[in-house]
Amino acid sequence: MDRRTFSTHALAAATAIATGALSACRTRPETEATAAPHENAMVHLIDELADGDPAQRALILPVTPRRIAMLVYPGMYPLDLLGPKTVFNDLLNTRVHLVAPTLAPVPAGNGVSVTPDVTYETCPTGLDVIFVPGGGDGTVRLMQHQPTLQFLRAQAETARWVTSVCTGSLVLGAAGLLDGYRATTHWVTHDVLRLLGATPVQARVVEDRNRITSAGVTAGLDMAFTLTARLAGENYARAEMLNIEYDPDPPFRAGSPKRAGKKITNALAGMYAGIVASATTAAKMRTRG
């Protein structure tokens, strides 16, 4: 079974377990039970990962469906969204929503367009996770978009986890959701976090109570696995890491300012100076408000 079929079989197994269809399959003719081998394999996987612990099994396959809402907006970095979404899609009995002000396709940049399935008005409440990806100028605009900030504040009141990737934490901060929290963001905007009431931390993933924020772009996968462990247990998170073969071994150790060195860091910092200045102005406007 490759990872492209994992979610399909996982959903089939979850549905079968919930309805008792697995036992029924065993009494049906073989031609009517073609999905049973895949479903049985998923059941075996769940049992193995639960280590015989009913509580762990209930985490892996909850009776009540989990609900995750991932914000989409023009100018976000596609990988900020698509990396974590790949991991969240493999959580069992979980519905992952893409949310925006309208259902119109959203240009995410780099030729990628994302189509929401719920709006701010139709998005479920009482979410397990509300998630904000990062970006550049689009993120700065979102920091000042009152309907989005109001939506995030309302969802954060009942969400189990409030999360972000990269500069998505600036949007959370602009909504007042990081006041008094430790948090991280893309390295170029760390100082902006302080203006938004957060305590900046240089780390790939920062967890403070029910807030989980991550550093730039690729750190979103680290955040997604951290959150998966909280939702479905560490064994399931480890299994999903193996499922998508997440075993980073980059050709260069240059993914942080310290490792990249001053020359490369200064060059990138100069390139992003305009965005950082705009984000700083937006953060100060929120502070004054």
Side-chain angles (χ1 to χ4, degrees):
M1 183 190 307
D2 63 31
R3 80 146 319 276
R4 288 175 295 181
T5 58
F6 181 91
S7 294
T8 300
H9 297 325
L11 178 60
T15 303
I17 292 169
T19 61
L22 281 179
S23 58
C25 275
R26 298 189 184 99
T27 64
R28 282 186 244 152
E30 188 172 346
T31 55
E32 297 179 14
T34 55
H38 294 311
E39 293 168 358
N40 286 327
M42 288 301 303
V43 172
H44 179 71
L45 173 66
I46 293 166
D47 289 340
E48 287 292 311
L49 297 179
D51 287 330
D53 184 347
Q56 284 299 311
R57 198 173 193 278
L59 279 181
I60 295 170
L61 183 59
V63 174
T64 302
R66 280 184 285 248
R67 293 176 297 181
I68 297 174
M70 306 183 78
L71 193 69
V72 296
Y73 60 92
M76 67 183 179
Y77 292 142
L79 187 57
D80 282 19
L81 175 80
L82 298 178
K85 187 176 187 297
T86 297
V87 177
F88 297 156
N89 279 349
D90 283 345
L91 287 165
L92 302 183
N93 202 17
T94 299
R95 177 68 186 272
V96 180
H97 294 286
L98 299 178
V99 58
T102 73
L103 296 180
V106 176
N110 298 321
V112 175
S113 183
V114 179
T115 302
D117 65 286
V118 292
T119 67
Y120 291 172
E121 288 74 25
T122 62
C123 184
T125 56
L127 295 167
D128 289 276
V129 181
I130 183 71
F131 168 94
V132 183
D137 290 327
T139 305
V140 176
R141 289 190 291 272
L142 206 65
M143 291 173 67
Q144 304 165 80
H145 189 247
Q146 291 306 314
T148 296
L149 302 183
Q150 292 167 11
F151 167 76
L152 291 173
R153 282 191 288 265
Q155 288 289 351
E157 290 181 2
T158 57
R160 289 180 61 196
W161 298 96
V162 178
T163 68
S164 67
V165 173
C166 195
T167 54
S169 59
L170 303 186
V171 181
L172 293 180
L177 298 177
L178 294 181
D179 288 348
Y181 287 86
R182 297 163 62 251
T184 191
T185 186
H186 193 283
W187 62 271
V188 297
T189 53
H190 261 259
D191 290 343
V192 181
L193 272 179
R194 198 177 305 279
L195 294 173
L196 294 167
T199 299
V201 178
Q202 295 279 355
R204 291 279 285 179
V205 178
V206 174
E207 184 176 350
D208 186 349
R209 288 158 282 177
N210 76 328
R211 303 317 196 236
I212 304 181
T213 56
S214 76
V217 192
T218 61
L221 282 170
D222 296 28
M223 185 281 294
F225 287 120
T226 299
L227 185 56
T228 294
R230 301 292 174 268
L231 294 172
E234 186 173 315
N235 279 354
Y236 195 84
R238 289 174 177 270
E240 175 60 6
M241 289 181 74
L242 179 58
N243 186 47
I244 69 170
E245 208 164 345
Y246 180 64
D247 189 22
D249 186 17
F252 308 106
R253 296 293 175 180
S256 69
K258 181 178 179 180
R259 287 175 171 168
K262 289 185 178 180
K263 179 180 177 63
I264 293 173
T265 299
N266 289 341
L268 278 178
M271 183 182 74
Y272 284 121
I275 290 175
V276 173
S278 297
T280 299
T281 298
K284 289 179 177 178
M285 289 174 61
R286 180 257 173 180
T287 303
R288 289 196 296 269

